[in-house]
Amino acid sequence: MTQEERYNGVLAWFADNVGKVDTELHYHSPYELLVAVILSAQCTDKRVNEVSPKLFALADTPQKMSKLKLSQIERVIRPCGLYKNKAANIKKLSSDILEKFGGEVPDSFEALESLPGVGHKTASVMMSQVFGRDAFPVDTHIHRLATRWGISDGKSVESTEAALKKFFPKELWNRLHLQLIFYGREYCKAHTCKEGKPFCHMCEKFAKKIPRQKR
């Protein structure tokens, strides 16, 4: 099977079997999503959704967040892990949004990535989910799947993003990246894979043998 056939097979299966998928993070504004994505680093979306309402009850805008003490933010977000770095970044980016962008979350990659704690993946999520721009955020799930299925060389998240953008139509990026995350969480996890799913045969060839989980 050629690489092009692999890409086409993935596209066809998702088109027929997976409908629209929304981000699992809960938010009510671009700012809340930005903070939630930062909290999600090395943390589950489920945990973030348990913690973020408590934080947003204290401060749901850059103006309010910038006025909180660092210790207040740390205390609330501690269950998300890496809480000291995350708290410092959230407080500083809130001030930067106020001072540099008039209190509004910016809508360009360059501006977003200038904010503390905001890397390319986080900026891509914002551009895709909030601003409707063509972007393909690659998280650990997508990187794992693309490597196992042989549609990426697996050398880095950056190389995976480049490969996916090259082969998948731009108009599908925003939808497909969420569908892939869904598949990775439900069927092809880091240490187990539900047997009999459509891409198992590709997974066997390009990944180390992983335990199979029966449905």
Side-chain angles (χ1 to χ4, degrees):
M1 182 183 292
T2 67
Q3 192 173 55
E4 184 176 358
E5 288 172 332
R6 293 177 183 280
Y7 276 98
N8 290 337
V10 169
L11 277 180
W13 189 85
F14 277 97
D16 292 340
N17 294 278
V18 182
K20 185 177 183 293
V21 178
D22 293 320
T23 178
E24 292 190 6
L25 292 172
H26 298 166
Y27 66 97
H28 299 95
S29 68
Y31 175 73
E32 287 192 1
L33 178 60
L34 179 60
V35 172
V37 175
I38 289 173
L39 291 177
S40 71
Q42 297 185 39
C43 180
T44 65
D45 288 356
K46 180 180 179 182
R47 177 61 59 84
V48 173
N49 289 336
E50 293 170 352
V51 170
S52 61
K54 300 174 185 177
L55 178 63
F56 297 144
L58 294 177
D60 59 357
T61 66
Q63 292 88 342
K64 295 176 183 177
M65 193 73 72
S66 63
K67 293 178 181 178
L68 291 182
K69 293 181 179 178
L70 196 58
S71 59
Q72 289 179 282
I73 302 173
E74 290 177 350
R75 190 178 307 117
V76 175
I77 70 170
R78 185 167 188 154
C80 290
L82 305 175
Y83 67 96
K84 287 189 177 293
N85 284 340
K86 291 178 182 179
N89 286 333
I90 290 169
K91 184 171 174 62
K92 181 63 168 61
L93 75 80
S94 298
S95 297
D96 283 359
I97 289 173
L98 285 174
E99 296 170 6
K100 300 178 181 179
F101 304 107
E104 299 293 331
V105 175
D107 62 354
S108 73
F109 276 103
E110 181 180 8
L112 285 166
E113 291 178 28
S114 74
L115 296 172
V118 178
H120 182 68
K121 193 212 90 170
T122 298
S124 294
V125 170
M126 296 301 296
M127 294 296 283
S128 171
Q129 299 303 309
V130 174
F131 302 115
R133 310 288 176 80
D134 295 321
F136 208 126
V138 174
D139 71 348
T140 55
H141 296 289
I142 295 176
H143 183 55
R144 178 177 72 251
L145 295 181
T147 303
R148 286 180 178 175
W149 298 347
I151 56 178
S152 165
D153 60 19
K155 291 180 179 178
S156 67
V157 169
E158 291 77 16
S159 66
T160 293
E161 180 181 346
L164 299 183
K165 283 183 172 180
K166 178 181 177 181
F167 282 94
F168 290 135
K170 184 179 290 188
E171 63 269 19
L172 298 182
W173 291 355
N174 293 353
R175 184 184 76 188
L176 189 58
H177 94 268
L178 289 174
Q179 292 176 323
L180 286 167
I181 291 172
F182 166 80
Y183 189 99
R185 286 174 173 164
E186 292 295 317
Y187 304 125
C188 198
K189 302 180 181 182
H191 303 294
T192 61
C193 183
K194 285 190 177 179
E195 189 173 358
K197 283 310 187 184
F199 308 114
C200 284
H201 65 290
M202 298 199 302
C203 195
E204 293 285 359
K205 183 175 180 180
F206 285 91
K208 294 179 180 179
K209 183 73 174 178
I210 58 175
R212 295 296 178 193
Q213 175 188 348
K214 299 224 175 178
R215 288 183 63 87

